Amino acid sequence: MSLDARLVVRRPDFTLDVSLAAAPGEVVALLGPNGAGKTTALRALAGLVALDDGHVELDGRRLDRVPPEHRRIGVVFQDYLLFPHLSAVDNVAFGLRCRGVPRARAREQAREWLRRMALEDQSGKRPRQLSGGQAQRVALARALATEPRLLLLDEPLAALDARTRLETRAHLGAHLRDHHGATVLVTHDPLDAMMLADRLVVVEDGRVVQTGDAAAITGRPRTDYVARLVGLNLYRGTADGHTVRVAGDFALTTASAQHGAVFVAFPPSAVALYAERPAGSPRNTWPAEIAAVARQGDRLRIELTGPIPAAADVTPAAAVDLGLATGRRVWATVKATEATSYPAGTDVG
Amino acid sequence: MRSRTPLALAVPAVLGLAFLVLPLAGLLIRTPWSTLPQRLTEPGMLAALRLSLLTATLATLVCLALGVPLAWLLARSGLPGRRLFRALVTVPLVLPPVVGGVALLLVFGRRGLVGEWLDATFGVSLPFSTAGVVVAEAFVAMPFLVIAVEGALRGADARYEEAAATLGAGRWTVFRRVTLPLIGPGVAAGAVLCWARALGEFGATITFAGNFPGRTQTMPLAVYLALEQDLDAAIVLSMVLLVVSVAILAVLRDRWLGAG
């Protein structure tokens, strides 16, 4: 039950060209900003959007020209799309009925699925009587009941409030681990992707920009989007040993030695701010101006402009001490040991 | 705070309301209430009422059987020239019914394009028969149904159909088990409009099916005929038509069309 696909969909103002592979039992997350083409990729896999080029292969069988009803690909849609005129149990039984299972047996199996989702007492309810979390689980049961060879999830948690989201994510994770087929999950939330998926595929503007597991993506982002997602300052530059030239002529000193095109990344918490130029200063010191101040958890996120743009996290106490406000000039420092560099080569995974 | 209605709107609005309601009130006022029970049970009266209800219902069933698939074709399929077909479907809506009756005669008449073949092959002759009444009513009423159902289909979320397809449902199953239930209220509304239009059909019916009591003389035809002989009879017939129409509308409005 392995997936191998290259999805090419051309639109007048947009081209999607994404290669995807997933092993049996593997969960792959398509992560990207809105409008990156994630949902289009999912719809192309399901057969709801025609491919202009490429292929979809599941267990060695070409599916490009197979209509959706014969693909055996289960889909959990973003707003679930539970049939409003059917009860929860009949929604789950729908796919079984379509595959020729007699009504009584389909109902029985559907009840079993609802029991597994801890929803047995909701089986007679219509979708509009269910809470968001319950509807999500019914949608998951409906997709899994047909024993799909590939399971697709489109922003499975996006419609839920923060509290329900936490529970549902754990619940969903457990079911994905039990699913023997491959799973492709579309999300714009890095936390969902990292908690649920074995491997991440980052998509921007219809293209794959980075793939890898959560550690590789969070540790070594390759685009500004990924860096922002994982909360790192990211620069592209040219390394000569421990010195990396970024943004024209600005030099950053890094812990590891590299040569050629590299990325340099460091977390906002590694940036320290001073009112005066610090004496005996660390290697990376530059004058900056505060562009914005925002609350981030129990810290303040300071956006800096200067020779390089950067984000810094400081405690509210330190901010008061320094009198930090928009427009104020400060000195920023980063210890060389906090700045990591890695090759920027063209490989994406 | 409610805003004051400008006089330039209020005056014509009230006039319009009066224009629509006054004739109905006139009908109620002139109804010969004392002889009503006796007149209502006259055999000719009952025959016309029964025929009207029967033919309007049959015509609605014909419209449902043909019109819902036609609406689906117009709304959902990638049929080329859909705009032209949509325009053609609405022609009977604006066509004077008498012209419709003449056109039907030319096609389904004994020497018509299809009528001649029907007569020779099956020995069936539609004009001047009860079946002819149904044909005439269906011809005039079907656009109401098609337009209502097509509107419902356009308003229905087609993604439910996609969800059904990913669950293994073929196109017919999708239509039967997902699309049709979703557009149920729209179909019901269209059927009510269609039935009401069929019940009131006059021009095409009298042209195509004639005016034979018990066979093709529906209520509107009976009203017209009675008007020349017995005004009170015409009023009573009209009253019955009015009551039946309003009653059906009221019942279905609550059950199918929802509030508002």
Side-chain angles (χ1 to χ4, degrees):
Chain A
M1 305 209 239
S2 59
L3 167 74
D4 179 76
R6 179 168 170 243
L7 309 167
V8 179
V9 179
R10 295 193 185 95
R11 294 276 179 272
D13 52 348
F14 175 79
T15 300
L16 175 79
D17 187 345
V18 165
S19 291
L20 263 183
E26 191 183 23
V27 180
V28 173
L30 275 181
L31 178 66
N34 288 330
K38 309 182 300 280
T39 295
T40 306
L42 206 74
R43 289 171 59 79
L45 283 175
L48 300 171
V49 164
L51 289 184
D52 289 307
D53 201 354
H55 64 272
V56 175
E57 209 175 279
L58 202 54
D59 305 332
R61 189 177 154 225
R62 284 291 287 262
L63 291 179
D64 327 356
R65 292 182 194 290
V66 176
E69 62 264 33
H70 294 134
R71 288 197 183 194
R72 304 213 56 156
I73 293 179
V75 186
V76 176
F77 293 89
Q78 180 168 4
D79 34 10
Y80 317 134
L81 297 178
L82 294 175
F83 304 126
H85 58 287
L86 297 180
S87 63
V89 67
D90 284 335
N91 262 284
V92 179
F94 187 92
L96 296 165
R97 295 280 294 129
C98 289
R99 299 213 147 88
V101 179
R103 184 190 303 266
R105 229 177 64 219
R107 278 249 175 96
E108 201 178 300
Q109 289 182 27
R111 277 212 188 82
E112 171 59 25
W113 271 105
L114 288 178
R115 200 187 55 70
R116 251 182 263 179
M117 301 284 167
L119 285 173
E120 57 266 58
D121 45 340
Q122 313 290 330
S123 65
K125 287 201 177 155
R126 293 292 169 92
R128 65 170 180 279
Q129 297 170 300
L130 299 171
S131 72
Q134 290 169 341
Q136 202 272 350
R137 282 181 283 164
V138 173
L140 182 64
R142 183 175 73 170
L144 287 174
T146 57
E147 292 174 356
R149 298 183 295 185
L150 171 66
L151 180 65
L152 305 177
L153 303 153
D154 190 2
E155 302 274 7
L157 304 170
L160 303 174
D161 59 73
R163 194 192 158 77
T164 319
R165 205 171 167 139
L166 215 61
E167 284 166 26
T168 310
R169 190 193 288 132
H171 178 269
L172 180 61
H175 279 279
L176 293 185
R177 276 192 293 282
D178 287 346
H179 176 54
H180 300 299
T183 302
V184 176
L185 164 88
V186 154
T187 180
H188 69 274
D189 184 337
L191 198 56
D192 287 349
M194 287 167 200
M195 303 278 284
L196 293 171
D198 304 310
R199 201 153 51 82
L200 277 60
V201 174
V202 184
V203 179
E204 282 179 63
D205 287 330
R207 301 196 171 261
V208 175
V209 294
Q210 191 168 3
T211 73
D213 60 15
I217 302 272
T218 50
R220 302 188 153 195
R222 307 189 77 86
T223 70
D224 286 338
Y225 165 72
V226 181
R228 255 199 319 281
L229 277 186
V230 300
L232 287 179
N233 289 300
L234 179 72
Y235 310 94
R236 201 184 170 117
T238 313
D240 183 11
H242 290 277
T243 305
V244 180
R245 301 219 159 263
V246 299
D249 208 28
F250 191 77
L252 278 169
T253 307
T254 61
S256 52
Q258 301 283 347
H259 285 279
V262 293
F263 286 111
V264 179
F266 53 84
S269 57
V271 182
L273 299 181
Y274 300 91
E276 303 293 336
R277 180 170 194 139
S281 64
R283 298 297 267 282
N284 299 314
T285 303
W286 68 94
E289 187 175 323
I290 296 176
V293 179
R295 177 168 280 285
Q296 176 122 351
D298 58 351
R299 310 207 129 211
L300 293 178
R301 167 69 52 93
I302 316 289
E303 300 290 343
L304 302 169
T305 57
I308 54 169
D313 282 357
V314 300
T315 61
V320 171
D321 248 18
L322 288 165
L324 296 186
T326 305
R328 174 130 161 74
R329 298 190 156 278
V330 291
W331 286 85
T333 71
V334 174
K335 286 193 191 121
T337 50
E338 303 261 21
T340 50
S341 63
Y342 45 95
T346 50
D347 75 297
V348 289
Chain B
M1 207 174 95
R2 288 245 302 273
S3 60
R4 280 170 51 101
T5 310
L7 221 55
L9 290 179
V11 171
V14 170
L15 277 178
L17 189 66
F19 177 65
L20 290 177
V21 172
L22 267 184
L24 300 181
L27 203 59
L28 286 174
I29 291 162
R30 281 296 310 275
T31 301
W33 298 104
S34 53
T35 57
L36 196 63
Q38 174 213 333
R39 281 183 180 277
L40 279 177
T41 48
E42 272 174 28
M45 166 81 173
L46 284 178
L49 181 61
R50 196 182 310 123
L51 187 71
S52 265
L53 295 178
L54 177 73
T55 52
T57 306
L58 286 175
T60 304
L61 291 178
V62 169
C63 290
L64 280 170
L66 304 179
V68 173
L70 177 57
W72 185 87
L73 207 71
L74 292 177
R76 282 281 194 275
S77 74
L79 188 73
R82 264 188 307 171
R83 293 163 65 101
L84 177 69
F85 287 118
R86 190 175 300 128
L88 288 175
V89 163
T90 48
V91 167
L93 206 62
V94 292
L95 195 72
V98 178
V99 179
V102 172
L104 284 172
L105 263 183
L106 293 178
V107 175
F108 293 107
R110 202 156 284 197
R111 279 181 205 78
L113 289 168
V114 179
E116 194 167 8
W117 173 78
L118 277 178
D119 197 15
T121 319
F122 303 104
V124 172
S125 174
L126 287 176
F128 311 113
S129 70
T130 306
V133 177
V134 175
V135 169
E137 290 179 352
F139 177 79
V140 173
M142 191 138 85
F144 287 88
L145 183 92
V146 174
I147 287 172
V149 175
E150 202 206 337
L153 277 169
R154 287 172 178 283
D157 193 340
R159 294 179 314 147
Y160 286 110
E161 298 170 10
E162 293 181 344
T166 65
L167 290 165
R171 297 195 87 175
W172 171 242
T173 309
V174 170
F175 176 76
R176 205 168 43 86
R177 295 209 48 210
V178 176
T179 314
L180 215 46
L182 282 178
I183 61 166
V187 174
V192 171
L193 277 175
C194 179
W195 189 86
R197 180 67 188 87
L199 189 71
E201 218 304 300
F202 179 81
T205 309
I206 203 165
T207 316
F208 182 60
N211 187 9
F212 303 106
R215 191 142 58 88
T216 70
Q217 192 185 76
T218 57
M219 292 288 279
L221 272 57
V223 170
Y224 181 72
L225 206 71
L227 209 51
E228 296 182 341
Q229 301 157 354
D230 179 357
L231 182 63
D232 277 359
I235 294 171
V236 170
L237 284 165
S238 304
M239 266 301 293
V240 171
L241 267 185
L242 179 67
V243 168
V244 169
S245 316
V246 171
I248 294 285
L249 207 65
V251 168
L252 291 186
R253 189 186 150 83
D254 285 347
R255 184 163 303 168
W256 295 105
L257 308 184

